[in-house]
Amino acid sequence: MSTAPSLTALQVMQDAPVIPVIVLNDVAHAVPMARALVAGGIRMLEVTLRTPQALECMRAITQEVPEAVVGAGTVRSAADAQAAALAGARFAVSPGYTRTVGQACRDVGLALLPGVATGSEIMQAQEDGFTELKFFPAMQAGGVAMLKAWSGPFFDVRFCPTGGVTPENASTLLALPNVVCVGGSWLVPPDALALGDWGRVTALAQAAVGLRNTA
Ligand code: 3PG
């Protein structure tokens, strides 16, 4: 396990307009899916810790797709952070924020995008040194209006809205000055995984990369 901070949250957010939120139930899907996203221009891959196969999928991508940068999503505990780092993850995304998770990610060298949905949570994360945050669940919790409201008091915070983000609303979010990127599950549809339709995943990634220019 490396504790070298080899990546920052801002670097994770700036690499592409969209961080794909990935749910994998089959280890056999991991490597071709990662190659398909990389072929489309998306390198930062958030593999969620929601399935028993997630850690093995991270290990497979780390070993076989060196162009990809694997992150762990749904990190909710110190144990999650430790397991993700051992599996090769270089960044972590959490649905909420606790000091325990923040410290655990620092301890194992994972860049963390902590999830927040309220002013108090932003203040707690800032107090602990995190200024690049995931707004989750973004569209359910206020979307564009909330981000505009936060831009006043939290002028020094940058967000990755995730939750309810679609190709249709992503450009509006990306145009906000306090939004660096968005997160979303639409780049890796379950039926594309089931069918092995990697060309579709690449096409979705390419379209996502183009979102920055259409904002
Ligand atoms: C999640 O945690 O599932 C993400 O927020 C993805 O949400 P989405 O399916 O609305 O993109």
Side-chain angles (χ1 to χ4, degrees), residues 21 50 134 136 140 162-165 183-186:
V21 177
R50 292 183 203 179
K134 163 178 163 171
F136 177 79
Q140 296 87 343
T162 305
V165 181
S185 60
W186 81 85

Side-chain angles (χ1 to χ4, degrees), residues 1-212:
M1 191 183 316
S2 165
T3 55
S6 57
L7 193 65
T8 67
L10 187 59
Q11 287 171 327
V12 174
M13 291 167 83
Q14 286 177 327
D15 204 62
V18 184
I19 297 175
V21 177
I22 303 162
V23 180
L24 292 168
N25 291 291
D26 186 341
V27 179
H29 293 159
V31 167
M33 184 272 325
R35 288 195 178 123
L37 287 171
V38 168
I42 301 280
R43 303 188 309 144
M44 300 288 164
L45 313 185
E46 177 189 339
V47 177
T48 56
L49 292 173
R50 292 183 203 179
T51 64
Q53 299 83 5
L55 291 167
E56 201 180 336
C57 290
M58 288 181 206
R59 273 192 290 274
I61 298 169
T62 301
Q63 285 165 12
E64 296 187 43
V65 193
E67 308 92 335
V69 178
V70 176
T74 322
V75 171
R76 296 177 297 164
S77 66
D80 284 346
Q82 290 153 4
L86 281 172
R90 294 178 60 201
F91 68 94
V93 184
S94 57
Y97 178 68
T98 68
R99 185 164 282 174
T100 302
V101 165
Q103 188 58 51
C105 286
R106 286 210 171 99
D107 288 346
V108 297
L110 288 175
L112 173 65
L113 267 175
V116 298
T118 69
S120 297
E121 291 161 7
I122 295 171
M123 289 167 64
Q124 183 64 65
Q126 273 196 293
E127 197 173 301
D128 294 347
F130 297 98
T131 52
E132 281 80 37
L133 309 177
K134 163 178 163 171
F135 174 23
F136 177 79
M139 300 314 285
Q140 296 87 343
V144 169
M146 190 74 141
L147 286 156
K148 284 183 178 169
W150 279 344
S151 68
F154 301 116
F155 56 87
D156 49 356
V157 176
R158 285 171 286 194
F159 295 95
C160 170
T162 305
V165 181
T166 65
E168 289 71 38
N169 63 22
S171 294
T172 308
L173 290 160
L174 288 163
L176 298 172
N178 57 347
V179 170
V180 179
C181 68
V182 299
S185 60
W186 81 85
L187 272 67
V188 185
D191 58 331
L193 285 175
L195 294 167
D197 190 351
W198 310 124
R200 182 169 164 217
V201 174
T202 296
L204 287 164
Q206 285 169 333
V209 169
L211 281 170
R212 181 89 74 206

